[in-house]
Amino acid sequence: MKYDIVIIGAGPAGLSFARSLGDTSLKVLLVERSSLATLREPPEDGREIALTHLSIEMMKASGAWQQLADKDVSPICAAKVLDGNSSYTLNFDNNDTDLDALGYLVPNDKIRKAYFEVVEGVENVELLTEISVEDVGSSADCAWVVLSNGERIECDLLVSADSRFSETRRKMGVPATMKDFSRTAIVCRMEHTRPHNQTAFECFHYGRTLAILPMTGNLSSIVVTVSSAEADTIFNMSEEAFAADIEQRLQGQLGNMKLYGRRHLYPLVAVHANKFISRRFAVIGDAAVGMHPVTAHGFNLGLRSQETLTKEIKHALSKGLDIGSHAVLEKYQSSHMRVTKPLYMGTNLVVGLFTNDNFAAKIARKATLRIANNFAPLKQVITRKLTEKKIDIPFFLPGLK
C-alpha cells in the first residue's frame, strides 16, 4: 500500500499533525498501538498541561480548543517561584499586559480527547489502531514501515511521534542526547479549603521541588519532584500523611488539603534528538524533544514542531516539490532546532541550579531570583516568553509534560 505520509503515534503531536494536513490533498495514515476506545476516552493520567497563548491559537485553528469543556480550562493569572524556606518570591503576573491570563491549564487526557475528536472523520486521514510498527526504513524514492499484522506500507514521508523513547527514531539512525535526572515526579490532584486565586507556585525546597498548579474551583494539581530513591516511600504514604506533608510544606496557604483521585509516578528523563530528520523521515513532539517539566515547554514545543513541519510541507505542495526531499525537511529541522536547543539547554541549567543544595548553589539560586525580579527588561522578556505572544528566551513556569 502507498500513502503520502505515515505518522507513527496518535498522541497530541501525531493527532495535531494529522489534523493540520486535513485541508490538503495528501493521503495520510496514522498508526497507533492503543485501542480506538482508549483514543476516544483517554484515561486520566494526572498530567496537567500549561498551555501558552501560541499553543491555544494553534488548538483553535484545528478546532480542538472548541472541543474542551469550560470546566477543564483553568487560567493561570500569576506565577510565583520560591527558593528553600525563604518567603522571597519571583513573581510573574499579567497586570502589565492586555491578556486575561499568563497561560491556561488543561488536563492532558482532555487535550488528547479533543484532538482525536477533530481528527476522526477527516477524509484524507486513515487511522489504524492496536497495530505496532515492527520495522522501518527508507530509500531515495520512498520510506516504508512493516506493521505487526505483517503488512508493508510505503510513503513519501515517514513521521515519528511515538514518545521521547522513540524506537522508530533509533531504527532510522537518528541519535538523541538523553539526560536522566535520577528524579521522579509524583503527580496528583488535591482539594483545599482556601482559594489558590489562579496562582501557580514553584517551590524549590531543599531536597525536593513542589509545584502547585491552579485548576477549576478549590482544586490544584500537585507535582512533587524528589530523588528517585525516595519516590516510592513518598508515593506509598497514606493519603492523610501525604496531605499533611503538602499542607506543612505550603505553610497552610491553601488551608486543609486532601487527595482528589490517585497519585501517579513519572521518572524524569530529558531527550533532545541530535537531528530531527533522516532520509524521508522526520521526528516531531517528544520524539524530537522531551523536556524536563520545570519550564512547562514539552507540550507547547510538540505543537510547534508539527506546525513548523506542516508549514514546510504545504509550501512544498504549492511549489510542486517532493514533500519528503532533504531540502524540504532541512528547512523544518533548521527552524525547529533554533527554537528547541536553547530551551532544552536553558531548562537543564535551571534544573541543575535549583536542585543543587550545596552552599554556593543556594547563594546563586537566591541571587538569580532577585536579579530576575528586579531587572525590569529581563523580567519583561521572561514574561513575554511565558505567554508566547512574542518569542524570546526560556521562562519559569511549573508544569508537567
Side-chain angles (χ1 to χ4, degrees):
M1 295 182 65
K2 181 69 184 292
Y3 290 83
D4 295 302
I5 297 177
V6 172
I7 306 167
I8 302 174
L15 287 169
S16 59
F17 181 50
R19 181 65 187 89
S20 296
L21 298 169
D23 60 352
T24 70
S25 60
L26 297 172
K27 187 179 180 182
V28 180
L29 177 66
L30 188 56
V31 180
E32 170 58 38
R33 66 177 60 203
S34 300
S35 68
L36 188 60
T38 298
L39 290 177
R40 283 178 173 156
E41 293 294 339
E44 182 271 320
D45 61 10
R47 293 183 291 180
E48 315 298 331
I49 307 301
L51 295 169
T52 65
H53 288 264
L54 179 61
S55 291
I56 292 169
E57 289 172 11
M58 286 187 277
M59 289 189 70
K60 286 180 177 178
S62 72
W65 182 260
Q66 292 85 331
Q67 302 297 115
L68 298 171
D70 290 344
K71 64 182 179 62
D72 293 324
V73 180
S74 181
I76 301 173
C77 295
K80 298 179 181 292
V81 182
L82 298 88
D83 175 61
N85 297 317
S86 172
S87 60
Y88 185 82
T89 61
L90 169 59
N91 301 309
F92 296 100
D93 56 48
N94 62 329
N95 291 338
D96 296 328
T97 72
D98 57 356
L99 304 174
D100 293 331
L102 297 174
Y104 294 84
L105 199 71
V106 181
N108 184 57
D109 59 295
K110 303 303 182 185
I111 293 175
R112 294 173 69 98
K113 178 179 172 64
Y115 267 114
F116 178 77
E117 289 172 347
V118 297
V119 169
E120 190 175 29
V122 173
E123 288 187 3
N124 66 322
V125 177
E126 182 179 342
L127 176 64
L128 281 181
T129 59
E130 298 184 74
I131 293 286
S132 59
V133 174
E134 297 295 316
D135 201 8
V136 294
S138 67
S139 66
D141 299 323
C142 69
W144 50 265
V145 298
V146 176
L147 304 178
S148 55
N149 62 5
E151 190 173 6
R152 176 188 167 103
I153 295 173
E154 294 184 350
C155 56
D156 293 325
L157 174 62
L158 177 62
V159 177
S160 176
D162 56 346
S163 88
R164 66 187 65 197
F165 305 112
S166 171
E167 187 70 9
T168 311
R169 181 185 64 211
R170 183 186 66 79
K171 287 182 176 180
M172 291 298 290
V174 175
T177 299
M178 297 190 182
K179 183 172 180 59
D180 187 343
F181 295 96
S182 298
R183 297 175 72 80
T184 297
I186 302 167
V187 185
C188 63
R189 296 169 181 172
M190 298 190 76
E191 292 181 307
H192 37 83
T193 55
R194 293 182 181 173
H196 46 52
N197 297 317
Q198 304 306 137
T199 300
F201 290 87
E202 184 80 74
C203 309
F204 291 102
H205 296 146
Y206 301 135
R208 71 174 64 181
T209 300
L210 175 62
I212 314 296
L213 302 169
M215 300 180 71
T216 304
N218 279 13
L219 188 67
S220 290
S221 173
I222 308 296
V223 184
V224 182
T225 306
V226 296
S227 164
S228 294
E230 303 176 67
D232 283 342
T233 299
I234 297 172
F235 181 78
N236 291 317
M237 292 171 68
S238 70
E239 292 189 7
E240 294 76 17
F242 183 85
D245 180 69
I246 300 297
E247 280 184 34
Q248 185 272 325
R249 291 181 182 278
L250 289 175
Q251 299 180 335
Q253 287 186 73
L254 296 179
N256 297 326
M257 304 186 70
K258 67 176 181 178
L259 276 168
Y260 183 88
R262 65 190 187 94
R263 287 165 278 188
H264 304 261
L265 279 176
Y266 291 100
L268 298 181
V269 178
V271 178
H272 196 293
N274 294 357
K275 56 181 184 176
F276 296 149
I277 62 172
S278 186
R279 186 172 57 185
R280 295 196 173 275
F281 175 73
V283 290
I284 61 173
D286 278 3
V289 184
M291 299 284 285
H292 187 288
V294 71
T295 52
H297 272 303
F299 181 88
N300 297 292
L301 282 181
L303 283 189
R304 287 278 293 277
S305 66
Q306 65 83 27
E307 179 79 1
T308 303
L309 182 56
T310 298
K311 177 183 175 182
E312 296 304 334
I313 289 172
K314 289 183 175 180
H315 179 73
L317 285 174
S318 71
K319 299 295 183 180
L321 303 176
D322 179 356
I323 63 170
S325 70
H326 178 78
V328 172
L329 298 182
E330 175 58 34
K331 289 179 181 178
Y332 157 66
Q333 174 173 258
S334 177
S335 178
H336 198 48
M337 193 69 74
R338 285 197 302 270
V339 172
T340 62
K341 200 69 173 181
L343 292 176
Y344 181 81
M345 295 175 67
T347 295
N348 289 349
L349 284 173
V350 169
V351 174
L353 176 62
F354 282 89
T355 58
N356 188 332
D357 295 333
N358 65 38
F359 179 75
K362 289 179 179 179
I363 297 298
R365 286 161 63 161
K366 295 182 187 303
T368 298
L369 293 189
R370 290 184 180 274
I371 292 170
N373 222 13
N374 294 292
F375 185 54
L378 173 60
K379 192 170 183 180
Q380 289 169 3
V381 168
I382 296 174
T383 303
R384 288 200 303 271
K385 181 56 187 173
L386 185 151
T387 64
E388 276 205 310
K389 295 299 284 186
K390 294 184 178 180
I391 308 303
D392 292 293
I393 64 172
F395 63 89
F396 296 89
L397 181 63
L400 184 73
K401 177 61 180 74

